[in-house]
Amino acid sequence: MLHATDEGYDEARSLWNGMFEKHPSIVAKCRGAADVMAAVDFAREHDLLLAIKGGGHSLAGKSVCDDGLLIDLSPMDDVRVDPDSQTARVGPGATWGDFDHEAQAFGLATTGGVDSRTGVAGLTLGGGIGYLARSYGLATDNLLSVDLVTAEGELVHTSEDVHPELFWGIRGGGGNFGIVTSFEFELHEVGPEILTAQVFHHIDDVRRVLEFYQEFMTDAPDEVACYATITRVPTESAFPEAYHNEPAVALVGAYSGAIDDGRPLLAPIAQFGDPLLAAVEPMAYTALQQGDDDGFPDGERYYQKAHFLETITDAVIDVIVEHTETLPGPYSGALFEPMGGAINEVDPTATAYPHRNAGFSFSITGGWSDPDRDEEIMGWVREFFDDLASHATGGVYTNYLAHDEDDRVDSAYRENHERLVNLKNEWDPENLFRLNSNVEPASGGGQ
Ligand SMILES: Cc1cc2nc3c(=O)[nH]c(=O)nc-3n(C[C@H](O)[C@H](O)[C@H](O)COP(=O)(O)OP(=O)(O)OC[C@H]3O[C@@H](n4cnc5c(N)ncnc54)[C@H](O)[C@@H]3O)c2cc1C
């Protein structure tokens, strides 16, 4: 247990998003399931607000609280790969960097996020979008089983065969039902090198590039995942100096099959238009997975809102052009993540993650340092988001909800919400686990 004056307290309560400066009364740094069970009992018996921190990358700052108890799972970062069965057992404090480091030693991987610092836990419990998702499904689709500590402080194992309804809710319903202490994943043969495409265009070309992107992804096989991002031109010698830090539109593609098979499939990304820089080349899979690490430094201020889109229509592009001529804040931008492929082969009600018909996730991120700019930059995100709303599906990825979007939780769970409420009534009727995209029990417990 750590208190405010103890060494390590400040590190434990710090999140990636510097907007959330909170001070829990106690921090329980847990080394195993027994510590988690004891901490849950303590929180329940003393009626303490409970926050749970895995990788600490909650965009909405849900993994820390004022006054209550913070369960810090970061010491539980063990990753054990079984190359024979192509499975991995992963602790809830592991990051995707930890995961890929171990799995790639055997040429194995599963879908993980595109920033190696994010936690396996939070990302998987909400869904888990990444370069491999169109081939192998979301991270959560690759879960074989989990162990979790319930609100009663009991350790429960769940899979398709054991407490199947609970296992259904875990896959997309976040941490609403307990604290996962161990994840078991299916792995696939990937890497150690993977074919990638990296292309930057000046923002003046955004309309043409996004039209191309929509068309390219419509015809792309499942093994191709191409992201489109509105960002800034890097201050590197490979780019004309006059354009450094100017807004840009970048396409980053990956092919998850054999490198030579992918070359003709990724080539059109580099051949299109008049890019500032274009390359199609193999790269270490672990390097691809670290691609976003430098773009969003720890401890800065971030605010993000997201939609799902079926397609990128002219009207969508009009809104994007209008809002991206200048980007407020050094880390601000917008991102298309391609859906489809194996993600959409799963029925929307087969797991708690319902967004199986979307073509793209589109997120708008404000990133800045100076608190005086909070209202200006959050205002830019909100206006951009509002102008796109009528062109979107109405759904949102639970992991992309902002801190002020509790009223959008229904859009995250959609047709699965009622079933999740029933599960919550059974496993956490007092809503002990409520610092998340919260499924409120019918009793409204703990609010
Ligand atoms: C820079 C950045 C890049 C990202 N890239 C991607 C991406 O490529 N793909 C994608 O799908 N998402 C991405 N995300 C979103 C990411 O999925 C979520 O932010 C996710 O919640 C992070 O997980 P974490 O363990 O680091 O978070 P934490 O902040 O530790 O926790 C997030 C939530 O999960 C709960 N939680 C954590 N651990 C447990 C547990 N063991 N049991 C129960 N509940 C738990 C917490 O209470 C909290 O509500 C990104 C986020 C950031 C900030």
Side-chain angles (χ1 to χ4, degrees), residues 15-16 51-59 62-63 73 92 112-115 117-123 125 127-130 174-175 178-181 183 227 292 296 337 397 399-400 435-437:
L15 301 188
W16 164 82
I52 299 135
K53 182 179 169 192
H57 271 60
S58 165
L59 287 150
K62 298 278 187 184
S63 41
L73 299 165
V114 301
D115 184 316
R117 303 162 303 167
T118 47
V120 171
L123 188 138
L125 293 171
I129 304 166
I179 303 178
V180 174
T181 55
F183 295 85
Y227 284 45
D292 267 15
F296 305 100
E337 293 166 285
Y397 175 29
N399 279 346
Y400 290 169
L435 291 182
N436 43 40
S437 297

Side-chain angles (χ1 to χ4, degrees), residues 156-230:
V156 170
H157 182 73
T158 173
S159 67
E160 289 277 12
D161 302 320
V162 188
H163 299 301
E165 185 67 6
L166 179 60
F167 193 58
W168 172 86
I170 293 290
R171 289 172 293 162
N176 271 286
F177 311 105
I179 303 178
V180 174
T181 55
S182 177
F183 295 85
E184 183 189 11
F185 284 96
E186 182 182 2
L187 303 176
H188 310 274
E189 286 172 24
V190 176
E193 287 206 315
I194 182 166
L195 191 70
T196 63
Q198 308 218 39
V199 177
F200 276 80
H201 293 263
H202 192 264
I203 197 72
D204 288 350
D205 288 334
V206 63
R207 181 178 296 280
R208 287 195 316 142
V209 173
L210 291 181
E211 283 166 1
F212 162 80
Y213 176 60
Q214 161 64 37
E215 214 178 296
F216 176 79
M217 283 313 301
T218 304
D219 298 331
D222 294 356
E223 293 79 13
V224 170
C226 185
Y227 284 45
T229 167
I230 316 275

Side-chain angles (χ1 to χ4, degrees), residues 164-374:
E165 185 67 6
L166 179 60
F167 193 58
W168 172 86
I170 293 290
R171 289 172 293 162
N176 271 286
F177 311 105
I179 303 178
V180 174
T181 55
S182 177
F183 295 85
E184 183 189 11
F185 284 96
E186 182 182 2
L187 303 176
H188 310 274
E189 286 172 24
V190 176
E193 287 206 315
I194 182 166
L195 191 70
T196 63
Q198 308 218 39
V199 177
F200 276 80
H201 293 263
H202 192 264
I203 197 72
D204 288 350
D205 288 334
V206 63
R207 181 178 296 280
R208 287 195 316 142
V209 173
L210 291 181
E211 283 166 1
F212 162 80
Y213 176 60
Q214 161 64 37
E215 214 178 296
F216 176 79
M217 283 313 301
T218 304
D219 298 331
D222 294 356
E223 293 79 13
V224 170
C226 185
Y227 284 45
T229 167
I230 316 275
T231 179
R232 285 173 190 280
V233 177
T235 51
E236 289 168 15
S237 56
F239 297 91
E241 210 177 317
Y243 290 138
H244 284 182
N245 270 324
E246 291 261 306
V249 52
L251 300 176
V252 180
Y255 179 75
S256 58
I259 286 174
D260 284 340
D261 294 349
R263 287 187 195 278
L265 294 166
L266 294 192
I269 302 176
Q271 285 159 359
F272 175 77
D274 186 18
L276 301 173
L277 178 137
V280 173
E281 59 193 12
M283 130 183 333
Y285 174 73
T286 48
L288 177 70
Q289 289 296 96
Q290 291 160 12
D292 267 15
D293 290 17
D294 295 335
F296 305 100
D298 280 352
E300 301 292 353
R301 304 176 83 73
Y302 297 98
Y303 180 70
Q304 177 172 309
K305 284 170 82 84
H307 288 295
F308 279 109
L309 305 171
E310 271 171 29
T311 55
I312 307 170
T313 59
D314 288 349
V316 166
I317 297 176
D318 285 345
V319 175
I320 293 172
V321 169
E322 186 189 332
H323 289 277
T324 56
E325 209 174 308
T326 57
L327 296 174
Y331 319 112
S332 298
L335 174 72
F336 283 99
E337 293 166 285
M339 304 288 113
I343 305 170
N344 290 8
E345 277 159 23
V346 178
D347 189 275
T349 61
T351 68
Y353 177 95
H355 312 284
R356 305 290 187 170
N357 300 315
F360 301 90
S361 168
F362 184 74
S363 42
I364 306 158
T365 304
W368 68 104
S369 307
D370 180 358
D372 288 346
R373 298 191 72 187
D374 285 4

